[in-house]
Amino acid sequence: MGQRKRVLPIFMYGVSHRTAPVELRERLSIPVAGLQAALRSLRRRIPAAECVILSTCNRVEVYLACARPPDPRAIARFLCGGRPGISAKIEKSLSHHAGAAAARHLFRVAAGLESMVLGESQIAGQVREAWRAALRARCAGPVLGPVFEGAIRASRAARRKTGIGAGAVSISSAAIALAEEILGSLDGRAVMIIGAGKIGELAVKHLARRGAKTVMVSNRTYTRARELAERLGGEAVRFDRVFERMRDADIVISSTGALHRVIRAARVKTVMAARGGAPLFFIDLAVPRDIDPAVRGIRNVHCRDIDDLERVRDESLARRVAEARKVEEIIEGHLARLGRGTE
């Protein structure tokens, strides 16, 4: 007689970027500091032996160990936190899984296969923190324990054995990849941003996280330059002094709304002469382009535009899609061990 397959009495209910718009998701978010109180509130509302709440910017999911399926309306009421008018919207947006399907979903989430950006690594830590919060609140135990611990192990194995997290998959990360390819280490590099657009600001923040130190911000409207400089912890530069201060930059990001070229080759030649020929990397995020294509012909000047960055991003995404198949095989192996009680 064959071994009887173990049934997992677990359920998942939640909303994510796949089921609900950001306007709804942002109203459901639970900060890490509030997880334990939310878990205790959930236990009072739902007759569950164990529970874990995973809350990120793109999903809020409730994992429960129950004798029978919980009422989705009760889950929706819990998620809306007593806020009138959105409980029905939440209920319509709820996705749910039970048993092995709930476990498989968690494993996929932890490995980054369900993320808005395929293979992003931050989610693994968020799953781990959700599990630890449930342990601290005494809301998790022998049923959800093997499932969450297995998902965390599978995620680690996926990142160790595959390239699911490799490559640049956003415009900002593509800019960093190209900057490091050209300049090497970004530690201590000086960045100048021209224009006060969101995409440029995000690129500067990414560069700062990789070690870039000095940030100079210029915009035709000086007050906007000063506001962005304050947010970035940098220095505001008046627009008529851009090329004077460009001599001190290693990376220049241009993201204005101008209808004409803002940076012309003749001015860049003057800047390079003042720099003694030290390499200068331009990132043109504007459409129409801010930077004269002729700057690419200047010695030690490197320039990339939005098409170059999108090409890098698309190539990385294609590689991650191919690696996702390997991740799925790893997940299925861990799920098989979980089903046998050997995970």
Side-chain angles (χ1 to χ4, degrees), residues 2 13 29 31 43 45 56 85 90 92 98 103 203 225 228 231 277 282:
Y13 289 85
S29 180
R43 287 283 291 274
R45 292 167 178 264
T56 74
I90 295 171
K92 289 179 181 178
L228 180 54
R231 291 203 299 272
F282 288 95

Side-chain angles (χ1 to χ4, degrees), residues 258-262 284 286-293 296 305-306:
L259 300 178
H260 55 81
R261 304 292 189 227
V262 174
D284 191 346
V287 180
R289 288 176 295 176
D290 280 340
I291 303 173
D292 182 353
R296 295 184 185 231
D305 60 29
I306 197 75

